[in-house]
Amino acid sequence: MRALEVARVALILGTLVLVCLTANMALKLGRRDVVGRNSNALLGDRTYKCGLSKVCPQGHFAFKIQTGSANIIGPTICFEDKVLLRSTLNNVGVGMNIALVDGKTGKLIKTGAFETHNINNALKFLQDIDERTLVLVASFDNMGTVMNDELKQLFTKLGSSYVNSIGYRDNWIFIGSKGINGKSQFEEYMKNVKETNLYEDWPKTLLLNGCIPASSTTATASGF
C-alpha cells in the first residue's frame, strides 16, 4: 500500500514536470498559453504586471489567479504585480483560499485559507465586507466539502455562476464583489472527472489572468 502511494505521488510530480516543460517550450515558440477562457494574456518576451503581456488600461488592475495543482502545489493570487497568496508566503491551505482587495485602491485588505472544519470562519471572513471590496478565490486540493448552503448563497450574491456546482476536488477560480449587478465575468470552473483528469484524482490546474476595472464608491458595474 505504501509503495502504491509513493508511485502515485511520483506519477503526479512527473506530470507536473511535464506540464512545466511544455509551458516552457510554448514560451520559446511564442505560442498561446493554455489558460482560462477569460484570460487575455499571450506568452511573449516581455511581460508586465502579474506576467501579463500588455499594460492594463487606465482605471484597471492587473491580476493572475492559479488554482493548486493536485494536492502538491498550492494556489497563487497576484494583484497589481504583488503576490498576495502563495505557498512560499505560508498563507495558503487545502480548501478555499481568499484574498480581499480594496476595489478602488487595489490595496490588500486581508487573506484567509479555509478548510472543511472552519466554514464558520469563512462566513465571518466574508460577511463584513463593503461594496467596493473585491473577493478573489482559488481552490486547492478539495474545496467542495468546505461549502455549505449559506456559503454558496453568499458567493452567489457576490456574482458566482458555478458555486452551486462545486463538488469534491473540483477546481474553481473566482473574482466577485458585494452588490454586483448580474454575474461576474471572472470565474473558471473544472469538474473532477477521473476519466478526464490531468492528475488522476484531480482535474487540471486552472489559470485566469487579465485586467479588472477599479470599483467606484459602490459596486454598480454589471459583471465588472
Side-chain angles (χ1 to χ4, degrees), residues 87-100:
S87 294
T88 54
L89 297 176
N90 295 317
N91 62 352
V92 303
V94 171
M96 180 168 52
N97 295 269
I98 306 175
L100 300 183

Side-chain angles (χ1 to χ4, degrees), residues 94-98 100 112-129 135 137 142-166 172 174 183 187:
V94 171
M96 180 168 52
N97 295 269
I98 306 175
L100 300 183
F114 304 96
E115 298 184 52
T116 306
H117 64 273
N118 55 11
I119 292 175
N120 290 334
N121 290 340
L123 287 167
K124 184 177 179 181
F125 185 86
L126 293 167
Q127 281 173 341
D128 297 329
I129 61 175
V135 180
V137 185
N142 173 33
M143 197 192 71
T145 54
V146 174
M147 294 288 188
N148 62 10
D149 290 342
E150 188 176 359
L151 199 53
K152 289 179 180 179
Q153 185 178 21
L154 192 155
F155 274 110
T156 298
K157 290 180 179 178
L158 292 173
S160 175
S161 299
Y162 294 110
V163 68
N164 289 307
S165 302
I166 296 173
W172 186 49
F174 173 70
K183 296 299 183 181
E187 185 173 22

Side-chain angles (χ1 to χ4, degrees), residues 35-40 161-162 184-185 187-189 207-208:
V35 297
R37 65 178 183 278
N38 290 312
S39 172
N40 21 16
S161 299
Y162 294 110
S184 172
Q185 299 176 16
E187 185 173 22
E188 291 289 336
Y189 169 67
L207 185 145
L208 179 67

Side-chain angles (χ1 to χ4, degrees), residues 61 79 100-107 109 129-135 176-180 213-220 224:
F61 298 121
F79 197 86
L100 300 183
V101 173
D102 187 314
K104 187 175 182 180
T105 66
K107 301 297 184 182
I109 299 172
I129 61 175
D130 63 36
E131 290 194 346
R132 75 180 191 185
T133 301
L134 296 176
V135 180
S177 179
K178 185 177 180 181
I180 187 173
S215 303
S216 58
T217 304
T218 57
T220 55
F224 300 104

Side-chain angles (χ1 to χ4, degrees), residues 4-47:
L4 180 60
E5 287 299 318
V6 171
R8 260 173 103 183
V9 171
L11 177 61
I12 292 172
L13 288 173
T15 304
L16 291 174
V17 169
L18 180 61
V19 170
C20 291
L21 290 174
T22 302
N24 185 54
M25 184 179 296
L27 176 60
K28 292 179 180 179
L29 294 175
R31 293 165 55 191
R32 181 181 292 271
D33 191 13
V34 180
V35 297
R37 65 178 183 278
N38 290 312
S39 172
N40 21 16
L42 299 177
L43 288 173
D45 292 332
R46 185 174 182 182
T47 59

